[in-house]
Amino acid sequence: MTERLHFPLPTEGVHRTLRDGTAVLLRTIRASDKASLEESYERLSPESRYRRFFTAMPKLPAGWSENLTDVDHTTHRAWVVVDPHAPTTVEGADGLGVAVGRLVADPEDPGVAEAAFTVLDDYQQRGIGHLLLDAIVSSAALNGIERIRAETMHDNHGMIELMKDLGATKNAARTDHDLVCYEFEVPSIDDADITTGALYEIMRFVAAQGPLKT
């Protein structure tokens, strides 16, 4: 079992080693990560951009990087995974930002949150998704989030069937002609490994096949 994270994370973050031996740093996102986030977005393949943002635009639109890095760490939590040894064009950065995970509470129902994570193509299938899921689910469980919401396009039949099979419930009020919305329960923090089972399977499938909208 992967070493579990302990919250709150220290300010400097925590060091972890990926399955292939790559050493990375997981820490909370900072407002100063704006340029790093823009650099990382441009390194995503068009397919990965579309899966995460429903668009393959080559650059983030004006203002997006500010919105994605200016978080309050209460209703909107976000983490970055940094490879300290990978080259980056951002002066003063602590390495290349290779992944982002976030958890955004519903302002009308604080017991529900939308979750998402994005991993650079070259770093996929190396264990980063599991690391980010630990941060997302542990934070949800520790902060009174009872359900995580997933939204995907109607033609993502594999995602929809998986959510049905794993017990997610459809939120008809948030489903429209563009997106279908499902919600699933957050496991207890006391579970031996909360990053296994139905929740992990859904999030892993989402990262590979389609985005969670934030």
Side-chain angles (χ1 to χ4, degrees):
M1 183 174 67
T2 304
E3 182 183 359
R4 289 294 312 281
L5 298 171
H6 298 283
F7 285 83
L9 294 180
T11 303
E12 66 276 14
V14 294
H15 294 274
R16 288 292 185 269
T17 302
L18 302 182
R19 287 195 294 260
D20 64 354
T22 301
V24 296
L25 172 70
L26 172 72
R27 60 169 174 78
T28 54
I29 204 166
R30 304 166 182 160
S32 59
D33 288 324
K34 173 179 172 291
S36 293
L37 189 69
E38 292 171 350
E39 177 189 44
S40 298
Y41 178 85
E42 292 175 19
R43 290 180 181 235
L44 287 170
S45 68
E47 292 80 8
S48 292
R49 293 173 191 163
Y50 186 76
R51 289 169 184 163
R52 175 63 183 87
F53 295 99
F54 296 105
T55 178
M57 54 193 176
K59 295 180 179 292
L60 285 174
W64 277 40
S65 56
E66 288 89 344
N67 292 336
L68 292 171
T69 54
D70 185 16
V71 304
D72 60 12
H73 301 294
T74 302
T75 59
H76 184 172
R77 298 174 174 86
W79 304 267
V80 295
V81 178
V82 176
D83 183 344
H85 304 292
T88 173
T89 62
V90 180
E91 185 177 356
D94 51 0
L96 176 67
V98 300
V100 178
R102 61 185 70 243
L103 183 71
V104 185
D106 185 336
E108 297 180 358
D109 186 353
V112 181
E114 295 185 16
F117 57 84
T118 306
V119 182
L120 292 189
D121 296 71
D122 290 345
Y123 286 80
Q124 294 175 13
Q125 308 300 318
R126 294 162 70 175
I128 287 179
H130 196 284
L131 181 62
L132 287 173
L133 183 61
D134 192 350
I136 289 169
V137 181
S138 296
S139 291
L142 287 168
N143 288 281
I145 304 296
E146 299 172 350
R147 300 189 308 282
I148 286 180
R149 180 177 294 148
E151 294 179 328
T152 192
M153 291 175 285
H154 285 275
D155 61 359
N156 194 343
H157 302 296
M159 167 73 172
I160 293 171
E161 289 305 313
L162 179 67
M163 288 194 287
K164 289 179 180 178
D165 291 344
L166 296 177
T169 57
K170 185 177 180 179
N171 185 327
R174 295 185 65 89
T175 296
D176 56 26
H177 67 281
D178 294 318
L179 301 173
V180 59
C181 176
Y182 281 86
E183 295 178 1
F184 43 93
E185 299 297 319
V186 173
S188 168
I189 192 67
D190 296 325
D191 286 354
D193 186 354
I194 61 176
T195 59
T196 62
L199 177 60
Y200 180 65
E201 289 303 314
I202 290 174
M203 292 290 286
R204 184 170 63 85
F205 189 88
V206 168
Q209 300 294 331
L212 288 175
K213 183 183 176 184
T214 61

